[in-house]
Amino acid sequence: MPLYQGLILGIVQGLTEFLPISSSGHLILVPYIVGWREPTVAFIVAVHLGTTLSVLWVFRQRIVELVRSLFGLGNPADRRLLGLIATATVPAAVVGAVLSHQVDRVFERPVVISLFLGVTAWFLFSAESHFEERDEAHTRDERMMRAADAGIIGAAQAIAILPGVSRSGSTIGAGMFRGFGREAAARFSFLMAIPIILGAAAVKIPDMVHQGSSGSGGAMALGVIASAVTGVLAIKAMLGVVAKRGFRPFAAYCTLAMVAGIVTGLARG
């Protein structure tokens, strides 16, 4: 992979990981539409690791508080929140371990990924409509989360293993369906991304090392740096935008991206 493609795809990853528009779907569809070679799964996992660094940086103070709670320091509620994050991680970890090879094959079918973007659009529209119909006084934040809530949000994250189904969109939307505010659902979604992405990266370390030794290491490294930097910007933008405008603009964008992918597929036969 040329360096400029690694840079551009790293920026794509950073901008789309935390916006509810499916980063993995864009990492396949962008090269497909412009005629580049499809990035490897190792590259995709590597740039996801870059955006995990974004989360660690933006939420560094909150993460320190959560880690301190493991040693009996700080707010006892933080230890409970860590347990809920662990609960939400289990479904995606199980699905990823059992269906990893089948999921990898989906990455080879851009038109199918485009259709999954349509699923993301529908879910975002539905979650936003449900949120607006609810009395604001009954909106909860992450401190009021229960194990059942974490399990359902975790199941949504498991479904988002499919490229084209947005991880942030599905988990934030599931949180909104469970009665959480947009920002609370987004914060929990970003924090629960850390263990699952780190776990996926650990599994793919041999592939990333192999790709680096085969001459694509520079593009991968550049992609990781670009995704980390742009990811910080995307997180801050996401938290600001959803509080004011909701998720309908992102749903509309996913619909347009779906159409672009399908049209490209039909044009190429």
Side-chain angles (χ1 to χ4, degrees):
M1 176 185 291
L3 289 176
Y4 76 90
Q5 290 186 16
L7 173 63
I8 292 173
L9 292 180
I11 293 173
V12 168
Q13 164 65 21
L15 293 177
T16 58
E17 171 64 20
F18 302 109
L19 304 181
I21 55 178
S22 180
S23 61
S24 57
H26 279 74
L27 287 175
I28 299 300
L29 288 180
V30 169
Y32 178 66
I33 291 172
V34 301
W36 295 346
R37 180 176 296 180
E38 182 180 305
T40 64
V41 174
F43 177 88
I44 292 173
V45 173
V47 293
H48 273 77
L49 187 59
T51 46
T52 302
L53 297 176
S54 304
V55 180
L56 294 174
W57 174 255
V58 174
F59 292 99
R60 59 192 182 279
Q61 183 175 349
R62 188 72 182 99
I63 291 169
V64 168
E65 293 172 351
L66 292 173
V67 172
R68 279 168 52 85
S69 72
L70 290 175
F71 302 96
L73 304 173
N75 191 337
D78 286 340
R79 180 180 292 186
R80 179 175 176 275
L81 182 60
L82 275 177
L84 294 172
I85 291 173
T87 299
T89 301
V90 170
V94 172
V95 170
V98 174
L99 301 177
S100 60
H101 295 297
Q102 291 85 344
V103 171
D104 286 350
R105 284 199 290 269
V106 177
F107 279 92
E108 302 171 0
R109 307 181 66 181
V111 173
V112 174
I113 293 172
S114 299
L115 294 174
F116 282 142
L117 276 170
V119 173
T120 296
W122 170 81
F123 191 68
L124 291 174
F125 272 123
S126 300
E128 188 63 30
S129 297
H130 178 79
F131 177 80
E132 291 177 347
E133 292 171 358
R134 190 174 60 248
D135 185 354
E136 188 174 346
H138 296 134
T139 298
R140 298 187 287 160
D141 64 25
E142 64 268 34
R143 292 171 298 180
M144 304 170 68
M145 185 170 292
R146 299 184 293 266
D149 301 319
I152 290 173
I153 296 172
Q157 180 168 248
I159 295 172
I161 288 177
L162 293 168
V165 178
S166 168
R167 195 207 66 81
S168 61
S170 61
T171 53
I172 294 171
M176 290 167 63
F177 272 115
R178 295 294 295 176
F180 295 96
R182 297 186 186 113
E183 293 178 90
R187 286 192 297 268
F188 187 77
S189 171
F190 295 158
L191 289 172
M192 67 185 280
I194 296 173
I196 198 67
I197 296 176
L198 290 179
V203 171
K204 293 295 181 180
I205 282 176
D207 292 334
M208 288 188 283
V209 171
H210 174 73
Q211 185 171 338
S213 62
S214 65
S216 298
M220 181 181 289
L222 196 57
V224 170
I225 294 171
S227 66
V229 173
T230 54
V232 170
L233 301 176
I235 291 173
K236 294 180 178 181
M238 174 70 172
L239 292 174
V241 170
V242 298
K244 297 178 180 178
R245 304 192 63 182
F247 290 98
R248 284 198 174 89
F250 300 114
Y253 173 83
C254 285
T255 302
L256 293 175
M258 174 191 69
V259 172
I262 292 175
V263 169
T264 300
L266 291 174
R268 293 181 183 175

